Amino acid sequence: MDKTDFNLACPIPKNDYDKILLAHGGGGILSNQLIQKIFFSQFDNELLNVQHDSAMFNINGVRLAFTTDSYVVQPIFFPGGNIGDLAINGTVNDLAVSGAKPLYISVGFIIEEGFEIEELWRIVLSMKQAAEKAGVKIVTGDTKVVNKGKGDKIFINTSGIGIIETGIDISPINVKPGDVIILNGKIAEHGIAILSAREGLEFETTIKSDTAALNDLIDRILKTSKKINVMRDPTRGGLASALNEIANKGNVGIAIEEDKILISEEVKGACEILGLDPLYIANEGKILVFVPKDDAGKVLDAMKNHPLGKESSIIGSVTAENKSLVTMKTMIGSSRIVDMISGEQLPRIC
Amino acid sequence: MKYVDEYRDSLIVKNLVAKIKSILTQPWSLMEVCGGQTHTIMKYNIEELIPKEINLLHGPGCPVCVTPLEMIDKAIDIASKRDVIFTSFGDMLRVPGSRLDLLNVKANGGDVRMVYSTLDAVKLAENNPDKKIVFFGVGFETTAPANAMSVLEAKRRGLKNYSLLCSQVLVPPAIEALLSSPDTSIQGFLAAGHVCTVMGYEEYIPLANKYKIPIVVTGFEPVDILQGIYAAVKQLEEGKFEVENQYSRAVIKEGNKAAKKILSEVFQTVDRKWRGIGTIPMSGWKLKESFADFDAEKIFDVHEIEKQESNLCIAGKILQGYKKPVDCSAFGTLCTPEHPLGAPMVSSEGTCAAYFRYKK
């Protein structure tokens, strides 16, 4: 080797990105930085700063939860659902994991010129069905149309409002060492279903999105135990990102076991081929429940008796050590860190 | 999942660890030269299971990490052109060049797309006749057949708008470069299984003999890695230096003949610069003159940019096994996957990123 050409170096440090990248919307570290530095720093207030799935507040003695979410999934129709039922279920779930009973939903459509009315009709019908199934009413809305090429078919925003019963206090900051973590089934199905339907990625699977409204399951959980500390739907960024968020906000350690986390053979296969880690892939019908050990058994039983919780299992627990870290006992018996996702695994999955 | 689960079986792992312990009498340093293996070692924290006397060195096995800065700057130049659709596998998009990365180019309006197959890039060329489609072909012997195939396929389809920005690197010359250094502490190699699936392992035999070092062709699952470690340690303990094939379910001695034929048709061997290491003689492939019409470096007017990298990080020493990521003062503070100072922090197969992600 030529010694004069020997060069042990790297590029100069790079400052923050000066433009928005797709990864800023990926639910990982870049998203977090964007939200913290730009939005939270300016919108700063006591309700926002809780950083929960919904804002929670009292009006005339009634405790309410309020949330919003936008849907840009591509393709808009995918195995197991479409952008419409996803938009209803997602907002219903954000309210429900805050411990609220979802009541009213608003819908905003941004539609691209030239979009097929028939497709819009199909989306609206599935929104109607999803709302009926979840027991919520769509009570207000808005429609905007943008020039051809200035949007991508259709984007939907939904906001929701729900009521929180007295005595229920669900929040990441309530997480306690000793809490047991229950998950209601197989992970990574939504992300892989979207991917399999995407143009340019031709692989055939029977994997369907798990999109579902979780409020009925959550209602049952809350009726079973008054001690639920945290609930979280591990959507964008997957299980790993949701657990990291809770470990960070609650300043606790989280220890999970790889062989307790259910993943279907097909999802595993797709992940192996595509080089994706299922821990970071989105779910739209999964819930993580943090509950003290003495109530875990009955909560687990209640979840298993619900159609959306048949495959529920305990995947780990909360520890006082390893604060702000998620660690995992691997299937070969070693242990390692499960970090928050950094860049963008799959854009536009919800 | 069949062919995967049995290689991640905790009982088999436990038995292998016990076997390694039973033959070990002294410390040994082994290097794996494949980013996939590095990733497995970190993801399953194999270092926690094996005896402390075995020092695993993580070599220059991540193709994204060793692609020189000049080449990334060329890619960024080409991708910024208006009539170009620039395609690449995912990890390459985030590798910092001297000023930007390809994701910045995309955010600035460049048409940069991630593909999962080179043939998807060829298809893009067919479907977009008014655009120039460039595929960023980096990697070891593993990616080379598919990259070569894309050129042959583009030629067969009569496409004039497809080209390859080629930065292929080869493992055996890198092993030789590492071993020829007087400071080397490497005592055994785990050779990259998939490289050998393509090339076979005949070319490793002279290396093992010349440097009196065991080389074990090794797969990518935890059980594979532990079997590879066991075989290498056993040879070292017995004073042997042979080429051994742990990954026999995917590798035969002579490799994949059909793939090798395509490679010799399309590529010629050249000196290649490795990021963090320097120029290694005859350690890369480029397109032959007869395929000049498909060579992005020839088609596009990209300047030969000679880049001097700064001395802030110790990537070179890490890639050669002299240092570990935790020895670097910038690790995890100034240098993170969001803001990598050096390429090993970018790709999930990079040693620093794997350390950061799984060990901190």
Side-chain angles (χ1 to χ4, degrees):
Chain A
M1 209 184 320
D2 184 0
K3 284 277 172 199
T4 56
D5 204 5
F6 207 85
N7 184 346
L8 305 173
C10 280
I12 46 167
K14 207 164 58 163
N15 294 321
D16 285 352
Y17 291 101
D18 59 356
K19 298 221 164 135
I20 292 289
L21 305 182
L22 272 174
H24 283 117
I29 293 171
L30 278 181
S31 294
N32 253 355
Q33 285 175 354
L34 181 77
I35 293 168
Q36 297 287 347
K37 286 186 187 166
I38 308 253
F39 301 135
F40 284 171
S41 73
Q42 296 310 306
F43 298 156
D44 173 67
N45 64 62
E46 66 288 355
L47 294 182
L48 182 67
N49 294 347
V50 179
Q51 300 178 34
H52 199 5
D53 283 309
S54 308
M56 292 180 273
F57 45 86
N58 292 310
I59 292 181
N60 292 339
V62 180
R63 192 154 178 75
L64 296 172
F66 179 39
T67 191
T68 190
D69 213 334
S70 298
Y71 296 83
V72 298
V73 64
Q74 187 270 321
I76 52 176
F77 295 95
F78 49 82
N82 64 53
I83 191 169
D85 45 24
L86 192 67
I88 299 298
N89 291 340
T91 289
V92 164
N93 291 347
D94 278 348
L95 291 170
V97 295
S98 311
K101 178 180 161 40
L103 293 174
Y104 302 116
I105 305 280
S106 76
V107 179
F109 293 102
I110 297 169
I111 309 172
E112 187 188 8
E113 181 186 19
F115 187 58
E116 297 282 342
I117 295 278
E118 192 270 331
E119 293 195 339
L120 180 62
W121 182 246
R122 278 167 65 197
I123 290 167
V124 166
L125 283 186
S126 61
M127 291 177 87
K128 180 188 167 195
Q129 279 170 5
E132 280 171 5
K133 208 168 167 187
V136 294
K137 286 200 172 84
I138 298 168
V139 292
T140 181
D142 177 53
T143 312
K144 297 280 189 297
V145 178
V146 296
N147 295 72
K148 180 105 187 150
K150 303 291 180 190
D152 192 357
K153 291 185 178 175
I154 184 166
F155 300 145
I156 301 178
N157 172 275
T158 50
S159 297
I161 197 158
I163 197 160
I164 303 171
E165 281 180 27
T166 316
I168 291 174
D169 182 17
I170 311 283
S171 172
I173 51 169
N174 293 343
V175 66
K176 306 237 167 22
D179 279 359
V180 163
I181 307 164
I182 308 174
L183 174 68
N184 67 322
K186 298 190 182 89
I187 61 164
E189 315 227 303
H190 177 72
I192 296 296
I194 297 290
L195 206 55
S196 73
R198 225 169 243 185
E199 212 180 334
L201 249 188
E202 288 145 18
F203 68 98
E204 284 180 21
T205 69
T206 56
I207 302 163
K208 283 196 178 130
S209 166
D210 58 346
T211 178
L214 294 164
N215 54 331
D216 192 53
L217 171 64
I218 289 171
D219 187 51
R220 196 170 297 184
I221 293 167
L222 292 175
K223 283 193 172 120
T224 305
S225 169
K226 298 290 168 211
K227 296 182 185 168
I228 306 294
N229 284 326
V230 190
M231 290 187 289
R232 178 56 65 99
D233 50 340
T235 53
R236 191 179 54 176
L239 188 64
S241 299
L243 290 172
N244 268 287
E245 270 177 50
I246 293 164
N248 272 319
K249 283 178 197 157
N251 197 28
V252 292
I254 287 180
I256 55 172
E257 294 181 40
E258 189 169 22
D259 58 9
K260 299 279 162 59
I261 298 164
L262 298 180
I263 308 169
S264 77
E265 289 293 301
E266 272 201 296
V267 167
K268 269 191 209 167
C271 286
E272 288 290 332
I273 289 167
L274 299 171
L276 299 170
D277 187 336
L279 291 178
Y280 295 91
I281 293 179
N283 310 279
E284 289 291 341
K286 290 294 158 304
I287 182 174
L288 289 159
V289 181
F290 290 65
V291 57
K293 207 173 175 182
D294 43 353
D295 266 16
K298 65 179 184 183
V299 171
L300 182 63
D301 287 343
M303 288 172 72
K304 280 184 167 173
N305 282 325
H306 190 278
L308 293 175
K310 280 180 198 155
E311 297 181 309
S312 298
S313 64
I314 293 171
I315 62 159
S317 59
V318 178
T319 64
E321 57 272 13
N322 295 325
K323 281 196 193 335
S324 300
L325 275 188
V326 179
T327 56
M328 181 166 81
K329 190 179 165 214
T330 70
M331 60 181 83
I332 68 165
S334 55
S335 102
R336 63 126 157 140
I337 290 168
V338 177
D339 201 6
M340 195 166 219
I341 197 164
S342 165
E344 175 57 88
Q345 268 210 133
L346 309 165
R348 293 181 62 187
I349 39 84
C350 61
Chain B
M1 198 177 354
K2 221 176 161 202
Y3 304 121
V4 172
D5 289 345
E6 55 268 49
Y7 293 96
R8 296 174 188 171
D9 184 292
S10 62
L11 196 66
I12 299 174
V13 164
K14 219 171 156 186
N15 289 337
L16 273 166
V17 170
K19 266 175 83 178
I20 293 169
K21 279 182 184 157
S22 74
I23 57 167
L24 190 76
T25 67
Q26 57 181 298
W28 298 110
S29 288
L30 307 176
M31 177 179 272
E32 83 278 353
V33 225
C34 172
Q37 292 167 340
T38 306
H39 190 88
T40 300
I41 289 167
M42 300 301 158
K43 187 172 174 188
Y44 292 92
N45 202 359
I46 284 174
E47 285 166 311
E48 182 190 283
L49 301 176
I50 58 174
K52 296 219 169 355
E53 290 78 15
I54 297 172
N55 181 23
L56 294 181
L57 306 168
H58 315 296
C62 162
V64 168
C65 306
V66 300
T67 302
L69 197 51
E70 293 87 336
M71 194 55 91
I72 293 160
D73 280 350
K74 274 184 195 172
I76 288 164
D77 262 18
I78 295 172
S80 305
K81 293 184 192 297
R82 293 192 99 185
D83 56 346
V84 166
I85 301 177
F86 194 88
T87 60
S88 161
F89 295 145
D91 271 2
M92 213 58 219
L93 301 180
R94 293 185 54 234
V95 183
S98 54
R99 288 168 297 117
L100 297 170
D101 60 31
L102 285 164
L103 289 177
N104 287 120
V105 175
K106 192 166 177 246
N108 283 318
D111 195 343
V112 178
R113 303 187 192 180
M114 186 179 89
V115 291
Y116 273 102
S117 156
T118 54
L119 293 181
D120 289 345
V122 174
K123 223 180 274 172
L124 267 178
E126 199 160 39
N127 296 337
N128 296 275
D130 54 332
K131 293 274 186 180
K132 292 174 183 158
I133 282 64
V134 182
F135 181 76
F136 198 4
V138 302
F140 288 95
E141 293 92 325
T142 34
T143 57
N147 293 348
M149 193 59 131
S150 74
V151 170
L152 291 176
E153 188 58 22
K155 194 177 178 185
R156 193 185 67 80
R157 297 189 195 184
L159 300 175
K160 304 274 182 230
N161 63 334
Y162 177 78
S163 62
L164 191 67
L165 181 62
C166 176
S167 185
Q168 299 285 162
V169 281
L170 303 170
V171 171
I175 289 187
E176 171 119 47
L178 291 167
L179 287 175
S180 62
S181 162
D183 312 324
T184 185
S185 58
I186 308 160
Q187 293 167 300
F189 271 104
L190 306 185
H194 289 156
V195 168
C196 297
T197 305
V198 175
M199 299 302 290
Y201 54 84
E202 282 162 330
E203 54 189 332
Y204 295 86
I205 296 168
L207 286 172
N209 288 330
K210 183 174 172 189
Y211 295 97
K212 303 200 178 339
I213 191 163
I215 300 177
V216 183
V217 179
T218 304
F220 302 86
E221 296 297 331
V223 167
D224 290 319
I225 306 269
L226 287 164
Q227 283 176 346
I229 292 171
Y230 173 74
V233 167
K234 188 160 186 282
Q235 282 200 43
L236 287 165
E237 291 283 349
E238 291 171 358
K240 289 182 180 164
F241 43 88
E242 290 165 2
V243 176
E244 205 173 324
N245 183 12
Q246 179 278 330
Y247 200 38
S248 57
R249 68 183 186 283
V251 174
I252 54 172
K253 193 175 181 183
E254 57 272 28
N256 180 336
K257 284 182 187 163
K260 283 162 89 175
K261 185 166 166 278
I262 291 170
L263 293 173
S264 62
E265 188 182 340
V266 174
F267 291 129
Q268 68 183 78
T269 315
V270 288
D271 296 351
R272 172 104 36 224
K273 189 171 175 186
W274 294 50
R275 191 174 195 172
I277 293 183
T279 300
I280 303 177
M282 302 312 263
S283 67
W285 276 325
K286 68 166 197 175
L287 286 168
K288 282 184 173 170
E289 267 315 305
S290 48
F291 291 95
D293 293 349
F294 298 93
D295 190 338
E297 280 192 89
K298 297 208 167 106
I299 293 171
F300 294 95
D301 181 27
V302 278
H303 309 288
E304 198 53 51
I305 331 153
E306 207 31 56
K307 286 289 171 202
Q308 202 54 42
E309 304 203 52
S310 97
N311 272 321
L312 275 167
C313 93
I314 58 168
K317 292 199 165 152
I318 289 166
L319 292 176
Q320 293 173 83
Y322 299 134
K323 297 265 186 195
K324 300 241 170 175
V326 286
D327 300 327
C328 174
S329 60
F331 176 75
T333 51
L334 285 171
C335 182
T336 62
E338 292 71 55
H339 294 299
L341 296 191
M345 189 54 104
V346 175
S347 164
S348 63
E349 293 191 355
T351 305
C352 298
Y355 257 74
F356 182 82
R357 189 152 170 204
Y358 297 124
K359 295 192 143 183
K360 299 249 171 169

